[in-house]
Tab-separated table of all heavy atoms in Angstrom:
chain	number	residue	atom	x	y	z
A	283	LYS	N	-23.725	2.584	12.676
A	283	LYS	CA	-23.214	3.604	11.738
A	283	LYS	C	-24.293	4.032	10.747
A	283	LYS	O	-24.479	5.212	10.472
A	283	LYS	CB	-22.008	3.080	10.931
A	283	LYS	CG	-20.827	2.687	11.771
A	283	LYS	CD	-19.631	2.342	10.901
A	283	LYS	CE	-19.748	1.040	10.121
A	283	LYS	NZ	-19.664	-0.174	10.940
A	302	SER	N	-21.042	3.864	-1.819
A	302	SER	CA	-20.020	2.844	-2.023
A	302	SER	C	-20.422	1.853	-3.114
A	302	SER	O	-21.611	1.703	-3.411
A	302	SER	CB	-19.812	2.048	-0.730
A	302	SER	OG	-19.360	2.879	0.295
A	306	ARG	N	-22.114	-7.240	-2.521
A	306	ARG	CA	-23.188	-7.972	-1.844
A	306	ARG	C	-24.517	-7.706	-2.559
A	306	ARG	O	-24.675	-6.701	-3.245
A	306	ARG	CB	-23.240	-7.635	-0.345
A	306	ARG	CG	-24.024	-6.420	0.041
A	306	ARG	CD	-24.663	-6.601	1.420
A	306	ARG	NE	-25.034	-5.360	2.042
A	306	ARG	CZ	-26.064	-4.598	1.685
A	306	ARG	NH1	-26.812	-4.902	0.620
A	306	ARG	NH2	-26.339	-3.493	2.356
A	309	ARG	N	-30.435	-5.545	-0.575
A	309	ARG	CA	-31.501	-5.965	0.344
A	309	ARG	C	-32.807	-5.348	-0.134
A	309	ARG	O	-32.783	-4.375	-0.905
A	309	ARG	CB	-31.205	-5.473	1.761
A	309	ARG	CG	-29.971	-6.109	2.358
A	309	ARG	CD	-29.707	-5.578	3.768
A	309	ARG	NE	-28.440	-6.100	4.277
A	309	ARG	CZ	-27.552	-5.379	4.964
A	309	ARG	NH1	-27.795	-4.109	5.232
A	309	ARG	NH2	-26.424	-5.918	5.380
A	318	TYR	N	-26.144	1.787	-2.638
A	318	TYR	CA	-24.849	1.285	-3.089
A	318	TYR	C	-24.868	1.251	-4.609
A	318	TYR	O	-25.942	1.288	-5.224
A	318	TYR	CB	-24.643	-0.176	-2.632
A	318	TYR	CG	-24.194	-0.360	-1.197
A	318	TYR	CD1	-25.088	-0.816	-0.221
A	318	TYR	CD2	-22.874	-0.122	-0.823
A	318	TYR	CE1	-24.677	-1.008	1.101
A	318	TYR	CE2	-22.454	-0.325	0.500
A	318	TYR	CZ	-23.354	-0.759	1.441
A	318	TYR	OH	-22.946	-0.949	2.742
A	337	GLU	N	-10.458	3.417	-1.536
A	337	GLU	CA	-10.130	2.316	-0.627
A	337	GLU	C	-11.113	1.215	-0.920
A	337	GLU	O	-12.183	1.467	-1.462
A	337	GLU	CB	-10.215	2.746	0.840
A	337	GLU	CG	-11.596	3.210	1.337
A	337	GLU	CD	-12.642	2.128	1.520
A	337	GLU	OE1	-12.304	1.039	1.997
A	337	GLU	OE2	-13.823	2.358	1.181
A	339	ALA	N	-12.313	-2.922	0.848
A	339	ALA	CA	-12.052	-3.949	1.852
A	339	ALA	C	-12.982	-5.114	1.601
A	339	ALA	O	-14.039	-4.960	0.986
A	339	ALA	CB	-12.296	-3.379	3.248
A	341	TYR	N	-15.351	-7.728	3.407
A	341	TYR	CA	-16.066	-7.803	4.674
A	341	TYR	C	-17.114	-8.898	4.563
A	341	TYR	O	-17.943	-8.847	3.652
A	341	TYR	CB	-16.701	-6.435	4.994
A	341	TYR	CG	-17.489	-6.408	6.272
A	341	TYR	CD1	-16.843	-6.259	7.495
A	341	TYR	CD2	-18.871	-6.553	6.267
A	341	TYR	CE1	-17.557	-6.253	8.678
A	341	TYR	CE2	-19.595	-6.552	7.443
A	341	TYR	CZ	-18.932	-6.401	8.641
A	341	TYR	OH	-19.642	-6.399	9.814
A	346	TYR	N	-16.344	-4.181	-0.589
A	346	TYR	CA	-16.944	-2.854	-0.428
A	346	TYR	C	-15.867	-1.835	-0.764
A	346	TYR	O	-14.719	-2.005	-0.337
A	346	TYR	CB	-17.373	-2.598	1.030
A	346	TYR	CG	-18.503	-3.470	1.514
A	346	TYR	CD1	-18.265	-4.767	1.951
A	346	TYR	CD2	-19.803	-2.992	1.552
A	346	TYR	CE1	-19.299	-5.565	2.405
A	346	TYR	CE2	-20.854	-3.782	2.010
A	346	TYR	CZ	-20.595	-5.075	2.425
A	346	TYR	OH	-21.619	-5.862	2.870
A	347	GLY	N	-16.218	-0.772	-1.485
A	347	GLY	CA	-15.193	0.226	-1.794
A	347	GLY	C	-15.794	1.592	-2.082
A	347	GLY	O	-16.973	1.722	-2.434
A	348	THR	N	-14.958	2.612	-1.919
A	348	THR	CA	-15.395	3.997	-2.113
A	348	THR	C	-14.939	4.520	-3.470
A	348	THR	O	-13.736	4.629	-3.698
A	348	THR	CB	-14.770	4.901	-1.016
A	348	THR	OG1	-15.071	4.343	0.261
A	348	THR	CG2	-15.268	6.326	-1.114
A	366	GLU	N	-19.161	6.361	5.189
A	366	GLU	CA	-19.539	5.467	6.291
A	366	GLU	C	-18.980	4.101	5.933
A	366	GLU	O	-19.523	3.413	5.076
A	366	GLU	CB	-21.074	5.459	6.400
A	366	GLU	CG	-21.613	4.633	7.543
A	366	GLU	CD	-22.344	3.404	7.070
A	366	GLU	OE1	-23.440	3.535	6.502
A	366	GLU	OE2	-21.810	2.304	7.279
A	367	ILE	N	-17.845	3.773	6.531
A	367	ILE	CA	-17.142	2.555	6.112
A	367	ILE	C	-16.599	1.781	7.320
A	367	ILE	O	-16.532	2.318	8.418
A	367	ILE	CB	-15.989	2.879	5.114
A	367	ILE	CG1	-14.962	3.812	5.734
A	367	ILE	CG2	-16.550	3.497	3.843
A	367	ILE	CD1	-13.797	4.143	4.801
A	368	GLU	N	-16.219	0.510	7.067
A	368	GLU	CA	-15.708	-0.277	8.185
A	368	GLU	C	-14.236	0.109	8.458
A	368	GLU	O	-13.638	0.891	7.728
A	368	GLU	CB	-15.955	-1.786	7.983
A	368	GLU	CG	-15.515	-2.362	6.687
A	368	GLU	CD	-14.035	-2.387	6.595
A	368	GLU	OE1	-13.388	-3.122	7.366
A	368	GLU	OE2	-13.497	-1.643	5.735
A	371	GLY	N	-11.024	-0.203	5.956
A	371	GLY	CA	-11.102	0.801	4.884
A	371	GLY	C	-10.786	2.192	5.414
A	371	GLY	O	-10.089	2.976	4.766
B	245	5GP	P1	-23.732	-3.598	4.934
B	245	5GP	O1	-23.535	-4.830	4.127
B	245	5GP	O2	-24.372	-3.881	6.272
B	245	5GP	O3	-24.402	-2.493	4.175
B	245	5GP	O4	-22.263	-3.041	5.280
B	245	5GP	C1	-21.324	-3.853	5.894
B	245	5GP	C2	-20.130	-3.016	6.351
B	245	5GP	O5	-19.452	-2.459	5.203
B	245	5GP	C3	-20.520	-1.820	7.225
B	245	5GP	O6	-19.628	-1.793	8.338
B	245	5GP	C4	-20.284	-0.629	6.333
B	245	5GP	O7	-19.900	0.524	7.081
B	245	5GP	C5	-19.129	-1.113	5.486
B	245	5GP	N1	-18.982	-0.395	4.219
B	245	5GP	C6	-19.932	0.155	3.440
B	245	5GP	N2	-19.399	0.741	2.371
B	245	5GP	C7	-18.054	0.600	2.479
B	245	5GP	C8	-16.941	1.007	1.678
B	245	5GP	O8	-17.053	1.660	0.646
B	245	5GP	N3	-15.711	0.648	2.113
B	245	5GP	C9	-15.524	-0.067	3.255
B	245	5GP	N4	-14.266	-0.328	3.585
B	245	5GP	N5	-16.534	-0.472	4.037
B	245	5GP	C10	-17.792	-0.142	3.650
Side-chain angles (χ1 to χ4, degrees):
K283 299 187 289 289
S302 298
R306 85 148 160 73
R309 295 179 186 139
Y318 280 106
E337 62 72 40
Y341 179 81
Y346 293 81
T348 307
E366 183 249 290
I367 60 179
E368 51 69 66

